[in-house]
Amino acid sequence: MVLAPDDGLLFNVPLRAAAARTLLAGHLPLWNPYVFSGIPLHAAAQAGLLFPLNWLYLLFEPHWAANLSMLLTYALAGVGAFLYARRAGASLAGACATALTWQFCGFMVGQIGHTNIVQTGALLPWLLWAVDGCGLGNLRPWRGLALSATVALQAFVGHSQTFAYSLLLASVYAIFNAFVSEGRARRRYLWSLLFIAVGVALAAAQLLPTRELLTHSLRSEATYEFFTSFSMPSQFLWSFVAPYVTGGGDGRLFRAPYTGEAFYLEYVGYAGLLALALAGLALALKRDSRTLFWAVTAVVCLALASGKFLPLGLYKLIYHVPVLNLFRVPARHLLEVDFALAVLAGRGLTALESLRGRKLARLSVIITSACAVVLAWVAVTAGRPNDFRLGRQAPVTLLRAPELFMPLVVAALCAWALWVYARGRTRRRATLLLFVILVFDLALWGQFTGWRRGPTGEGEPWSAPEAVRVMREHADANGVSASGPYRMLTVPQVFAPDASSPPSDAASGMALMELQPNTYMMHGVENAAGYDGFGLARYSRLAGDMKLWGELPDPARSLKGEGREFDLLNVRYLVARAPHQADADTVANEVETTAANAPALPAPERFGGDAFAAEDLGAAPLDRGERLLFTAPRVAAERVALVTSLSWSADIADGTEVGRVRL
């Protein structure tokens, strides 16, 4: 099992493995020769060279190091949230609620593919714990040192955006507490700002090279469109109550086709219905300054997460704020939103615990639970998209779709658990029931996000690709190729040297991992392509205007044109998606011969009155201008139905002709 799917597997893990390889070879890991024409490694930050959890790559193979690192990251998040909540006044049960909610909320689980984002988020509660250590305790050197060290560690993780958001939150938190405190506590909180500044100074060894590299990268000039890309659409507000109301899931329980914006996991902020109800109880039963701070934080950061969808164009103001205007994906402000909800959940449970058995507690629970049930009902009825449909033959009704009825079930379970707890009887059993429902609620959404099914393609993601084996066969005893120093080039597109135009990719036969340029870092092979957030602009121009993720916008021009870019880059091997060697007529004949000798596929499923096989054709995606030819067994039929899906259609107007079917 891979605990770092998607970008974690394709980007973060190879970077860490390459850094460890370089260090173990006796070199400082300042330069990465394995992608593009070489690129700064330490300055790019994302390898997280100075973050201790990444030192596991020096001791273990990449798959062991990746999984151990992620397990320890989530443990770090839970322990930090628990300690912060306790220091901030939560009870033992309240601190546990904060810790569990933070560990498994939408932000922390949804970003599991972005390893360094999760690691930065795991350190956020430790940062606030250290701020409170300075403000609430005696101002001793070790407390200031702990705060400064935590700031530096967050910077060393290597994700500048999440670090900037955390630092801003911690600074505002310190200022707010200084404002509401008196006497020595006020001075101590103000002193904590100095220790935060010292932490930033300690992190200069990472921040300054990264800043310098940014000025030379393709992202040096962020347009407003780039800055606001991946803003959270307003329909995702319902995901705080019903996370799969727009469809999605890995197809095991939740199977409705996803109808929202691309990259669902960037926008979902689900922290659990029970946590949401407990946060409401905090506002009802514990309306002190800290509760007010976290409530305002949740609202303000939710507005920031909306980005370009914020009314009146207010987000344009943020575009002119230094530092914040360097980053895209406003939806990552869900970091602060989910943490605020986790803290409020702990404070709500703490307040409820002190009032168990009283009339006020029971009345507050009745009102809060009723609100949760009503919100869930509105979310799955009025809040679901108009094009919501099931991934199976069944009418869209509450009783037939887990995507719709499970939020109502969870809301009812939460109401029951809160009522049992508020009545004040059987305290241990009531507390146990509450936490069972909390874990069930969070696991129900998190375990079906598809994070366990990362894009590993065919075969073992950690083993050497076939291309590596071939290149090693052509090397001498010292590992030097017969043709001298060389690089390889991977392109995700089909490439056929003898074809006048890109052929159909009906049978590529190429596993996904073999086409990912960063994969080859783990095996010491240099690639002229690459995947890095700081792709250098001059390298892009040299290599056919290559994009940050190694894709060529015009492979025919770059690979078959008159330019000699890849000769200059010492490219000796090309790994591309393999075209089918036969022409279209031969393909049709081959498929027809095979189909004629095969039994007819049963059609047990019915959609719109038409019978379909249980499995799809398994056809490859079609690019512009490509054709797919296939034949089916001869059967008597009055009509033919074909179901397809269209991806990446955000910029295509409704009614545009995107394909034709010819019988």
Side-chain angles (χ1 to χ4, degrees):
M1 182 179 292
V2 180
L3 299 182
D6 303 315
D7 276 4
L9 181 60
L10 306 179
F11 176 51
N12 294 110
V13 171
L15 272 178
R16 286 156 173 72
R21 171 187 288 272
T22 302
L23 194 58
L24 291 173
H27 304 285
L28 286 176
L30 303 178
W31 185 257
N32 179 6
Y34 297 115
V35 290
F36 303 117
S37 297
I39 190 172
L41 179 58
H42 171 64
Q46 306 226 36
L49 304 177
L50 300 178
F51 185 57
L53 287 184
N54 293 332
W55 300 344
L56 292 169
Y57 287 84
L58 297 171
L59 306 175
F60 302 100
E61 292 296 321
H63 57 285
W64 279 104
N67 288 347
L68 285 172
S69 174
M70 292 306 293
L71 287 171
L72 290 173
T73 294
Y74 280 93
L76 195 68
V79 172
F82 176 84
L83 292 177
Y84 164 73
R86 287 291 282 167
R87 179 168 279 180
S91 65
L92 182 63
C96 289
T98 295
L100 287 170
T101 303
W102 178 235
Q103 274 183 309
F104 303 118
C105 67
F107 181 85
M108 291 295 284
V109 174
Q111 296 290 346
I112 190 172
H114 297 124
T115 307
N116 43 15
I117 293 182
V118 177
Q119 289 176 335
T120 309
L123 288 174
L124 172 60
W126 290 94
L127 180 60
L128 298 171
W129 170 81
V131 170
D132 272 348
C134 291
L136 298 177
N138 295 324
L139 194 59
R140 296 180 178 177
W142 71 267
R143 295 183 185 273
L145 179 61
L147 176 54
S148 299
T150 305
V151 171
L153 279 177
Q154 267 204 315
F156 293 155
V157 172
H159 196 267
S160 302
Q161 179 181 17
T162 322
F163 169 65
Y165 292 170
S166 297
L167 202 63
L168 180 61
L169 176 62
S171 300
V172 173
Y173 180 77
I175 293 171
F176 175 82
N177 279 291
F179 179 78
V180 299
S181 301
E182 296 179 353
R184 293 183 177 180
R186 172 173 294 182
R187 291 194 296 271
R188 288 194 292 263
Y189 272 113
L190 291 176
W191 270 103
S192 69
L193 294 173
L194 176 62
F195 291 119
I196 289 175
V198 171
V200 174
L202 290 174
Q206 179 66 74
L207 298 178
L208 292 181
T210 301
R211 173 62 181 169
E212 181 182 1
L213 177 60
L214 177 64
T215 62
H216 297 281
S217 78
L218 293 170
R219 294 184 175 180
S220 58
E221 296 181 3
T223 63
Y224 183 72
E225 289 71 23
F226 176 86
F227 171 65
T228 57
S229 58
F230 301 101
S231 298
M232 188 188 77
S234 57
Q235 66 180 8
F236 274 85
L237 291 173
W238 295 116
S239 72
F240 284 91
V241 181
Y244 292 114
V245 74
T246 57
D250 63 2
R252 290 180 295 162
L253 176 62
F254 302 102
R255 294 187 291 163
Y258 180 59
T259 59
E261 295 282 337
F263 301 104
Y264 161 80
L265 291 176
E266 288 282 9
Y267 309 121
V268 61
Y270 190 69
L273 266 173
L274 183 54
L276 208 59
L278 288 172
L281 287 173
L283 294 173
L285 303 176
K286 198 175 179 64
R287 290 191 295 268
D288 57 12
S289 59
R290 284 180 179 256
T291 298
L292 176 63
F293 173 83
W294 288 114
V296 172
T297 296
V299 173
V300 170
C301 292
L302 187 60
L304 292 175
S306 301
K308 63 183 178 183
F309 300 111
L310 201 61
L312 305 177
L314 293 176
Y315 200 67
K316 290 182 179 179
L317 299 175
I318 308 299
Y319 185 53
H320 300 287
V321 177
V323 180
L324 290 183
N325 61 6
L326 296 175
F327 310 115
R328 62 172 186 162
V329 196
R332 287 178 184 162
H333 279 290
L334 290 174
L335 165 81
E336 303 101 292
V337 177
D338 278 355
F339 187 76
L341 290 177
V343 174
L344 289 173
R347 296 182 69 79
L349 184 55
T350 300
L352 186 62
E353 186 177 0
S354 63
L355 297 172
R356 292 178 76 246
R358 299 185 185 179
K359 182 178 180 180
L360 177 60
R362 294 195 297 269
L363 181 60
S364 299
V365 163
I366 290 174
I367 296 174
T368 304
S369 300
C371 290
V373 173
V374 170
L375 273 176
W377 177 268
V378 174
V380 300
T381 53
R384 74 172 185 253
N386 294 330
D387 55 350
F388 181 89
R389 63 191 186 281
L390 303 184
R392 53 202 173 279
Q393 179 60 25
V396 180
T397 61
L398 292 183
L399 295 179
R400 291 182 180 270
E403 297 85 353
L404 302 180
F405 70 70
M406 285 308 301
L408 296 174
V409 172
V410 171
L413 290 174
C414 293
W416 173 51
L418 287 172
W419 174 251
V420 171
Y421 191 86
R423 289 176 62 191
R425 304 175 185 175
T426 60
R427 177 175 180 177
R428 290 184 178 179
R429 293 182 181 179
T431 304
L432 178 61
L433 175 64
L434 201 68
F435 280 99
V436 167
I437 300 300
L438 177 63
V439 172
F440 170 76
D441 184 7
L442 293 169
L444 183 66
W445 109 262
Q447 288 300 312
F448 293 100
T449 57
W451 68 266
R452 296 189 299 156
R453 300 185 179 186
T456 59
E458 308 261 339
E460 174 59 55
W462 315 107
S463 60
E466 180 71 10
V468 173
R469 185 187 65 78
V470 172
M471 285 183 280
R472 286 174 178 170
E473 287 179 354
H474 289 76
D476 60 21
N478 296 320
V480 179
S481 172
S483 60
Y486 69 90
R487 288 189 179 92
M488 64 177 297
L489 174 67
T490 53
V491 291
Q493 301 97 335
V494 172
F495 177 71
D498 299 329
S500 58
S501 61
S504 172
D505 188 36
S508 70
M510 183 68 70
L512 177 63
M513 291 301 295
E514 293 183 272
L515 292 173
Q516 297 300 323
N518 290 30
T519 298
Y520 293 87
M521 288 186 198
M522 296 187 286
H523 310 288
V525 176
E526 294 185 14
N527 199 324
Y531 179 18
D532 192 278
F534 290 98
L536 296 179
R538 62 179 181 269
Y539 285 0
S540 172
R541 292 191 297 270
L542 176 64
D545 298 320
M546 185 180 287
K547 297 179 181 179
L548 290 170
W549 48 90
E551 181 180 341
L552 295 171
D554 188 355
R557 170 177 62 86
S558 301
L559 299 178
K560 295 192 294 184
E562 296 180 357
R564 304 295 299 276
E565 294 93 340
F566 292 105
D567 286 346
L568 293 174
L569 296 177
N570 268 339
V571 172
R572 295 289 181 268
Y573 298 93
L574 174 68
V575 181
R577 302 186 75 173
H580 201 287
Q581 298 301 316
D583 58 28
D585 293 335
T586 306
V587 172
N589 291 334
E590 288 177 355
V591 175
E592 185 173 5
T593 301
T594 303
N597 297 328
L601 294 175
E605 299 187 5
R606 301 190 68 83
F607 297 93
D610 294 305
F612 287 86
E615 302 295 333
D616 60 27
L617 292 172
L622 295 180
D623 205 345
R624 183 183 304 234
E626 293 183 343
R627 295 190 302 165
L628 171 66
L629 281 78
F630 65 94
T631 61
R634 295 178 180 274
V635 295
E638 295 179 351
R639 56 181 176 175
V640 175
L642 178 66
V643 175
T644 67
S645 60
L646 177 65
S647 301
W648 301 104
S649 58
D651 299 326
I652 300 178
D654 291 345
T656 303
E657 181 183 279
V658 295
R660 296 179 181 177
V661 177
R662 184 173 63 186
L663 301 182

